[in-house]
Amino acid sequence: MASSFVPLRLRSSQSRLLGTIPPGEIPAHVSALGFEACALLDRNNLYGAVEFYESALANGIKPLIGAEVTCPQTGSEVAIIALSRRGYSNLCRIISRRNLEPQTQLADAIQAASADIAVLTADPTLAQDLLPAIGPDRIWIEIIANRLDHCQIRNLLETARAAGLRALASWDVRFLSPDDEPLARLLSSIARRELISNVRLDVRHASLRDCMRLREMFTHIPEVLQASLELAAMADVDLELGKVHFPVIGQTPQASFKMLEALCYKTLAAKYRQRQAKARKRLASELHTIARLGLTNYFLVVKDIVDFAVANGIPIAGRGSGAGSIVAYLLDITHVDPIKERLLFERFLNEHRPDYPDLDIDICWRQRDRVINHVYERFGRRRTAMVATHTRFELRSAAREVAKAFGLSPYESQSLAIRLPRKGDARTVSRVLASVRPELPHERREQVARMVSAIIGLPHHTSVHCGGIVIADTSITDYTPLEMAPKGVQVTQFDMHAIEKIGLVKIDLLGNRALTIIDETLRTVGKSLPCFAGFIHEDSSTARLLSEGRTLSCF
């Protein structure tokens, strides 16, 4: 390593309002300081891990993937770093168990998934408890230098020596420059729901450049710096970005392909009585592409979902660019003949497209949860989860939160937010704030406006994607940590972009009121059809109505 130590406690802006540095920007800054490795340790999550990992490889930095995990019962903290791909999966399991089973003791969760992880803790008692499962070569007493005074550091060193444990020095990094400390305090006040004037960070000198002080502080005991180098040398995690991890429906990939092929040819003759030669040629080409991209099972899984809905009388229909696929048409996923309508399969899927297929499945909004429950039951809750979305601050939400942090009442904060346009800068905020709170001093008003502008684009909170669900080939926690959404469903900590990079294929199951209205209309007039394939025909009155835009719930 170029430096005498490795920075191990970097926080990103994804870390639940704790840090201010975008995870993808960390490696470049670390490299500029002469380091060859660093660790991202966000609290109880891996939200920024994939972005950090990808950027680290691009910048020639060795990425150490970890998290600071807190015990819900005691509040004690343990830093866990993955040492291998297996260790990464265990880290995901520990975080998931901590989030989904808050009654579980943190030590129990770590002991149950102890392989190929390194543990750093400032609690000697906890270290002793974990020693049998982790082993002495993968556990350290951590000295977070900018959280402790000299007396506390000396006592912790003496305690580690007395217990026969090794010590490791680290520095809690929250932001790039000392000038960013007010922003970090603001984010902390928003997270705690306290006035910014009452908030003090629990660390000193938390900028990235400040971590260089470690060398001066521990020149007389270089082994605590050397320990971070040893830890970095032990870690070797390959996330295999881009490798697809999707359940195999048949016993083998070849068996799955034969199944898909048979299903398509079974309906081809009925749907293409007049143009069989052209349809067969196109089908063979599409199947070849689907097999080469490893997406055979994707179509079989979607077919399974559609068949369940049809069998239970739930209106369902595929839409989007997937309508250009004859495979989707033959499987009754979509109801548009791509040959008749001259639709291109390549717009939906081709070997040069870097992302996964975008096949949206619309479902009667009243029965969507029933279909989602079927997916959980069919493929197992251990392998299935909804996808998270990371909601970021926009002008109005930023203004509302910053105003409350600076002491404006909830009414004034909301008044400010609703008077603002959707887009704007600090001058916009300052002008509107003057009308909401005219007695506020100009300097204070400008400070609020600058802070609002500063947090726009930073993560605010997580939510559930409008329809995304993922199914893994093994346990979902082999690939992503999970947490519980307010709605009561377990969701991935990764958003749709990280989910795709980690190799999980998102299926969009979307609630659609138009399907519900059509279904209710048919039932009102005495007809009941599970799908609407028979309703595709020319009608000049309907065409005129659509072209004039005189419709509701139709896009």
Side-chain angles (χ1 to χ4, degrees):
M1 303 294 175
S3 181
S4 57
F5 68 94
V6 171
L8 294 177
R9 271 193 169 268
L10 280 78
R11 312 273 192 173
S12 76
S13 58
Q14 300 289 106
S15 184
R16 288 197 183 277
L17 305 177
L18 278 178
T20 67
I21 322 170
E25 294 181 11
I26 290 173
H29 292 289
V30 168
S31 177
L33 290 176
F35 293 106
E36 294 180 2
C38 68
L40 183 66
L41 293 181
D42 286 339
R43 182 170 291 175
N44 297 322
N45 70 77
L46 295 181
Y47 295 145
V50 173
E51 185 180 347
F52 165 74
Y53 175 87
E54 195 173 36
S55 176
L57 297 183
N59 283 277
I61 293 293
K62 184 175 186 178
L64 278 65
I65 298 177
E68 180 187 81
V69 186
T70 61
C71 180
Q73 292 85 10
T74 66
S76 60
E77 303 171 353
V78 176
I80 303 172
I81 294 177
L83 301 179
S84 68
R85 182 62 182 78
R86 182 186 182 191
Y88 167 80
S89 294
N90 279 332
L91 174 60
C92 291
R93 291 190 184 95
I94 293 167
I95 296 173
S96 299
R97 190 171 175 187
R98 186 262 176 207
N99 292 335
L100 300 177
E101 305 172 24
Q103 73 281 2
T104 301
Q105 291 289 336
L106 179 58
D108 294 339
I110 294 174
Q111 289 165 347
S114 60
D116 291 359
I117 60 172
V119 171
L120 315 176
T121 177
D123 185 346
T125 302
L126 181 58
Q128 290 285 5
D129 292 342
L130 294 175
L131 202 56
I134 302 297
D137 59 327
R138 292 187 286 121
I139 193 166
W140 286 266
I141 295 295
E142 185 183 18
I143 301 168
I144 308 172
N146 58 333
R147 288 193 195 174
L148 307 173
D149 58 33
H150 291 296
C151 183
Q152 291 171 317
I153 291 173
R154 184 174 63 252
N155 291 340
L156 203 51
L157 281 168
E158 291 173 356
T159 302
R161 289 175 184 139
L165 296 167
R166 296 174 299 165
L168 178 150
S170 67
W171 197 273
D172 193 346
V173 177
R174 305 283 180 89
F175 37 82
L176 289 176
S177 164
D179 295 338
D180 295 327
E181 183 170 351
L183 178 59
R185 285 182 54 227
L186 170 66
L187 293 175
S188 184
S189 72
I190 293 173
R192 300 180 197 177
R193 298 182 179 180
E194 296 180 15
L195 294 177
I196 190 171
S197 56
N198 296 336
V199 170
R200 295 292 179 270
L201 297 182
D202 56 354
V203 294
R204 306 180 308 276
H205 309 297
S207 75
L208 179 58
R209 188 167 291 277
D210 281 328
C211 80
M212 306 298 284
R213 300 185 186 196
L214 273 175
R215 279 189 294 211
E216 302 169 10
M217 293 180 64
F218 294 100
T219 50
H220 58 297
I221 40 175
E223 62 269 20
V224 299
L225 298 178
Q226 182 68 27
S228 65
L229 297 171
E230 295 169 3
L231 173 56
M234 293 169 64
D236 185 17
V237 178
D238 181 2
L239 293 184
E240 301 177 309
L241 297 185
K243 181 179 178 181
V244 178
H245 307 287
F246 205 69
V248 178
I249 302 302
Q251 293 184 340
T252 65
Q254 293 76 17
S256 294
F257 180 77
K258 290 293 184 185
M259 190 184 304
L260 178 64
E261 187 178 47
L263 286 170
C264 291
Y265 279 106
K266 181 179 178 181
T267 58
L268 186 142
K271 291 194 174 187
Y272 288 98
R273 291 189 176 91
Q274 306 299 325
R275 296 160 290 163
Q276 277 205 28
K278 190 172 185 179
R280 285 177 177 274
K281 182 178 179 181
R282 175 154 178 170
L283 175 59
S285 174
E286 286 194 19
L287 287 172
H288 174 75
T289 300
I290 290 167
R292 279 183 60 87
L293 294 176
L295 294 170
T296 299
N297 290 289
Y298 172 81
F299 283 87
L300 291 174
V301 167
V302 176
K303 168 69 172 170
D304 177 279
I305 296 169
V306 171
D307 285 351
F308 168 80
V310 171
N312 288 275
I314 301 172
I316 190 168
R319 65 171 165 90
S321 60
S325 168
I326 193 173
V327 171
Y329 177 56
L330 294 173
L331 296 177
D332 288 327
I333 295 171
T334 60
H335 306 304
V336 176
D337 180 350
I339 293 180
K340 177 185 176 183
E341 305 297 338
R342 294 182 293 178
L343 302 176
L344 298 175
F345 173 69
E346 289 75 17
R347 183 175 179 271
F348 166 60
L349 193 64
N350 66 76
E351 295 183 40
H352 303 289
R353 179 175 175 171
D355 53 346
Y356 294 137
D358 183 19
L359 188 57
D360 294 335
I361 307 300
D362 286 337
I363 306 167
C364 165
W365 72 277
R366 287 180 177 164
Q367 301 192 68
R368 172 176 170 265
D369 286 349
R370 186 179 173 192
V371 176
I372 289 175
N373 286 335
H374 162 73
V375 176
Y376 275 97
E377 292 169 5
R378 168 71 174 83
F379 298 100
R381 296 186 178 275
R382 189 177 69 91
R383 296 195 295 168
T384 309
M386 299 297 289
V387 177
T389 180
H390 296 171
T391 302
R392 297 177 179 271
F393 283 108
E394 296 183 356
L395 181 64
R396 292 176 178 176
S397 58
R400 185 184 300 110
E401 296 298 332
V402 173
K404 286 189 287 187
F406 276 88
L408 274 71
S409 69
Y411 173 77
E412 290 171 327
S413 302
Q414 181 64 11
S415 296
L416 170 63
I418 62 177
R419 294 185 189 187
L420 287 169
R422 293 196 175 275
K423 303 290 182 181
D425 55 16
R427 287 177 296 179
T428 307
V429 177
S430 180
R431 185 178 65 252
V432 176
L433 183 55
S435 65
V436 172
R437 187 79 176 269
E439 72 277 13
L440 198 67
H442 175 77
E443 183 179 335
R444 192 67 160 175
R445 190 169 68 239
E446 292 299 306
Q447 185 183 17
V448 171
R450 285 195 304 271
M451 286 298 192
V452 170
S453 182
I455 70 170
I456 292 174
L458 292 180
H460 186 196
H461 62 272
T462 57
S463 185
V464 186
H465 187 277
C466 61
I469 192 168
V470 285
I471 310 162
D473 53 349
T474 59
S475 172
I476 196 84
T477 54
D478 281 339
Y479 308 106
T480 172
L482 302 176
E483 62 187 35
M484 191 64 70
K487 188 179 179 181
V489 297
Q490 64 182 30
V491 297
T492 64
Q493 284 197 334
F494 294 152
D495 66 4
M496 58 182 285
H497 305 293
I499 280 293
E500 181 176 307
K501 289 175 181 176
I502 207 72
L504 297 175
V505 182
K506 175 174 66 70
I507 301 172
D508 284 329
L509 304 179
L510 305 163
N512 188 304
R513 290 177 183 266
L515 291 182
T516 308
I517 293 169
I518 294 171
D519 183 56
E520 290 176 346
T521 303
L522 291 173
R523 294 182 189 281
T524 300
V525 298
K527 295 182 179 180
S528 177
L529 291 176
C531 67
F532 311 111
F535 286 81
I536 301 175
H537 41 201
E538 299 299 330
D539 183 275
S540 57
S541 298
T542 303
R544 185 170 61 255
L545 191 72
L546 290 170
S547 66
E548 293 172 355
R550 294 190 290 115
T551 61
L552 290 174
S553 298
C554 183
F555 53 91

